[in-house]
Amino acid sequence: MTVMKALLRFPGERKIMLADCPIPSLKPHSVLVRTSATVISPGTEFNQVQQTTASLIQKAWQRPDLVALTLKSLRSDGARQTFDRVQNRLGRPLPMGYCGAGVVHAVADGVTDLAGGQRVAIGGMDYANHAEWNVVPKNFACPIPDEVSDQKAAFTTLYAIALHALRQGGTGIGNQIAVLGAGLIGQLVAQTALAAGARTSVIEPNLIRRKTAKTIGATVTYHAAQDAPGDQFDTVYICAPAQGTHTLIDDAARLCRDRGTIVCVGDVAPHGTRDILYRKEIDLRQVRSYGPGRYDPAYEEAGQDYPEGHVRWTVNRYMKAALDLMADGRLDPLPLITREITFDAIAAHFTPGANPDDLATVVHFAHSEIAQGDENDFRLTPPSVSLPSNEPARDRSVTLGLIGTGNYLGGSLLPLLRKHTRIDVLACASQSGLSALAAARKFRAAKACSDVTDILDNFEINSVIIATRHDSHATLADAALTADKHVWLEKPIAITHDDLERLRPHATNQKSVFMIGHNRRYAAMSQKLRKLLPPDAKQFHYRVRFKPLSTDHWLNRPDQGGRTIGEISHFIDLMTYLSRAKISDIACDWRDRKRGDSIWRVLFSDGSVGEVSYLHTTRNEPKETLEIAAPDFGATLHDWRRLQVNGKVVMRNWRARDKGQKDAIEAFVAAIEKGVPGPDTPSLNDEINLMERILNAANT
């Protein structure tokens, strides 16, 4: 049981379809749920479909920020690399859906409040998908009371949005509120406001939706905002899209009483005419999804909750409140259901122009019975990947499994692997299985999976490339070496001393080829520079400038070691290669440890001295500049574009920066074929010692 059906968007192919994909692997602080029902939220999901099926020009118009990034990549990396990266992103399937219900099948270690066999409501974009199986963070899963059916419970996340909106608007007993837009979210806001004791007016041009709003408790309905009386509402909730226009904000401001509140729910651009907002001193608020905790990696991925005394309402508490209100009958989504379909009909439901007036569509999942004896086994143990019996014999020296098929591997290494004549990629693994599916589709007979044991237990695979998040590097490399695989491990080799100790036994009896992805030492400019360097002691000044990451980027998480620890070995390794000497000491001067700003000083056994200034920049300047000085010698490597020695340009990359990935892969393949690493490839013991010095310096 390794494959499931899921509704996926394929932006590169401009289509959506019900596709086979791997069942996602269980993550820490999460549960694996067998889906029984989901709800299609028409506003959000039909907009996603429209974006997916749009032409490239339309996509560019919709996302000018991505166009700007693409143009920047063209200038810095050239057309070929930019094209590969764009194709990688467009080729990755995207899931649809964000609210549903099902039965817990497996729980991660440390999850104590949920158990196998328990019915749960699930939520979250990228978590509660229209898929037969979903892995959901524990804070996005909530037990369903016996009185609530799966069909009703599937609305829980949508009700959480409505409850959070009411909290933002301060709505309670006796308040006069108006709801602009009676789509599904607008209807839920109106119904939830009734349960809170408010008197609700609904403004909606669609007659059928106005009638529905009346049935769920709207006091009065209007065709347009101009028909409703002004200056009397405590809060106006905008539940209709307002992009590039002041109309809805201005309408809402007219409806508000003095010092009233406007709450933007969903895709609303908060732009309005200043005069009316100023005169009434309107409070303009935004609803961020399902409540506090959403978009916080500590809450979502690490399973940390907020203290109730400090954050009374979180995503999970809103979900529980919604289920309790459904259990006692004060909330009832059934009048809002306009269509019910089976899961196998879901792709057809999104045909352009179909079902324009639908509010809520409930999707029902029909599952075959779990095999006898499996009902008490709440762990998925998929069989290993194997080749079909009719597959021709392999004649390539490297049969490869890819573990971690994210942006770097997909955009930088995958195009090189596809062209290599002595590499055969047989399997691709990622936690969700979706990026693995995109990668596997690029090779003749590769399989996609979500469990790395599918690769490590496969005797047909003799080598792996590991490009996962940094905290898993040492664990996966240990497992791969134990399985007698040749290992290419993206830097860093480890982020803690305990991780290094996990790998040290392999260094004393290294049987397999092991390489860290320190590709810069293999670049043509590095090779040229090394030949021209004088034999005496040298001074290296490596200037690295990097742009800030978003605050929620995974590299900023404490458990990932930080961006600096993840990347600094690249630059120290290159200086070590060029010096031809061993490192005698490394020191780190943190300028801002939280940001990663630091200056590293490296002493070599031949008297050479290296310095890496690793600092943030917001200016448009080169990321890497390496200057080398010695008596009667000077060289500068300008961001892998130009190599200058003693005032003369001796090498230039006209089309794109070549940082050596292609030559590094060739060195890996050659080492596997010969059974020993090349003379310029550091041993596992060398890599462990380098990282140990880096960690010691970072913590001094």
Side-chain angles (χ1 to χ4, degrees), residues 19 40 90 187 232 285 295 456 528 541 598 641 652 670:
I40 294 172
L90 290 177
Q187 300 279 356
Q232 75 171 40
R285 299 183 182 179
Y295 308 120
L456 300 182
K528 180 78 170 179
H541 181 209
S598 52
R641 288 281 195 181
R652 189 189 297 271

Side-chain angles (χ1 to χ4, degrees), residues 466-544:
I466 300 171
T468 55
R469 291 188 178 184
H470 297 169
D471 63 333
S472 63
H473 280 194
T475 301
L476 290 171
D478 173 37
L481 290 169
T482 301
D484 293 328
K485 308 294 185 188
H486 304 295
V487 175
W488 168 302
L489 177 64
E490 274 305 317
K491 48 81 189 163
I493 187 174
I495 58 174
T496 68
H497 287 287
D498 288 342
D499 284 344
L500 288 175
E501 292 308 311
R502 186 190 300 272
L503 293 172
R504 203 176 293 279
H506 297 290
T508 59
N509 185 25
Q510 187 174 344
K511 296 182 292 184
S512 303
V513 172
F514 180 90
M515 272 182 60
I516 296 292
H518 288 147
N519 46 274
R520 283 161 174 77
R521 65 165 51 220
Y522 299 97
M525 282 190 178
S526 302
Q527 305 286 314
K528 180 78 170 179
L529 182 56
R530 194 185 198 213
K531 293 176 182 177
L532 296 175
L533 285 172
D536 301 328
K538 295 163 281 291
Q539 182 177 18
F540 300 89
H541 181 209
Y542 211 145
R543 186 174 181 272
V544 183

Side-chain angles (χ1 to χ4, degrees), residues 568-580:
I568 198 68
S569 64
H570 250 330
F571 316 114
I572 296 176
D573 174 78
L574 178 58
M575 293 191 302
T576 305
Y577 170 73
L578 294 174
S579 71
R580 302 176 187 258

Side-chain angles (χ1 to χ4, degrees), residues 231 258-259 274-282:
D231 306 322
D258 189 53
R259 291 178 174 81
R274 178 183 181 275
D275 183 55
I276 188 170
L277 295 171
Y278 171 80
R279 282 189 292 104
K280 289 189 175 182
E281 204 169 64
I282 297 295

Side-chain angles (χ1 to χ4, degrees), residues 24-28 30-32 106-109 135-136 378-379 431 450:
S25 61
L26 193 61
K27 301 177 183 178
S30 66
V31 293
L32 176 65
V107 297
D109 292 339
V135 169
V136 184
F378 294 104
R379 293 190 315 137
Q431 279 195 325
S450 62

Side-chain angles (χ1 to χ4, degrees), residues 500-646:
L500 288 175
E501 292 308 311
R502 186 190 300 272
L503 293 172
R504 203 176 293 279
H506 297 290
T508 59
N509 185 25
Q510 187 174 344
K511 296 182 292 184
S512 303
V513 172
F514 180 90
M515 272 182 60
I516 296 292
H518 288 147
N519 46 274
R520 283 161 174 77
R521 65 165 51 220
Y522 299 97
M525 282 190 178
S526 302
Q527 305 286 314
K528 180 78 170 179
L529 182 56
R530 194 185 198 213
K531 293 176 182 177
L532 296 175
L533 285 172
D536 301 328
K538 295 163 281 291
Q539 182 177 18
F540 300 89
H541 181 209
Y542 211 145
R543 186 174 181 272
V544 183
R545 299 294 179 263
F546 56 98
K547 296 296 176 64
L549 296 170
S550 61
T551 56
D552 60 349
H553 193 281
W554 64 267
L555 266 175
N556 287 326
R557 286 175 42 173
D559 62 342
Q560 297 300 325
R563 188 176 187 179
T564 306
I565 297 301
E567 194 170 35
I568 198 68
S569 64
H570 250 330
F571 316 114
I572 296 176
D573 174 78
L574 178 58
M575 293 191 302
T576 305
Y577 170 73
L578 294 174
S579 71
R580 302 176 187 258
K582 292 188 177 298
I583 294 174
S584 56
D585 190 40
I586 297 178
C588 173
D589 177 10
W590 288 106
R591 298 305 172 94
D592 187 329
R593 183 156 191 166
K594 186 175 181 180
R595 281 165 45 103
D597 293 329
S598 52
I599 295 176
W600 297 73
R601 294 180 177 87
V602 185
L603 302 181
F604 294 94
S605 58
D606 68 344
S608 295
V609 178
E611 180 181 276
V612 182
S613 61
Y614 187 82
L615 304 170
H616 271 85
T617 182
T618 56
R619 299 190 299 271
N620 187 21
E621 53 185 320
K623 180 182 178 183
E624 298 179 38
T625 304
L626 175 60
E627 296 176 340
I628 306 173
D632 300 316
F633 181 87
T636 304
L637 196 160
H638 299 271
D639 207 24
W640 303 99
R641 288 281 195 181
R642 187 173 74 255
L643 175 60
Q644 193 170 333
V645 176
N646 294 331

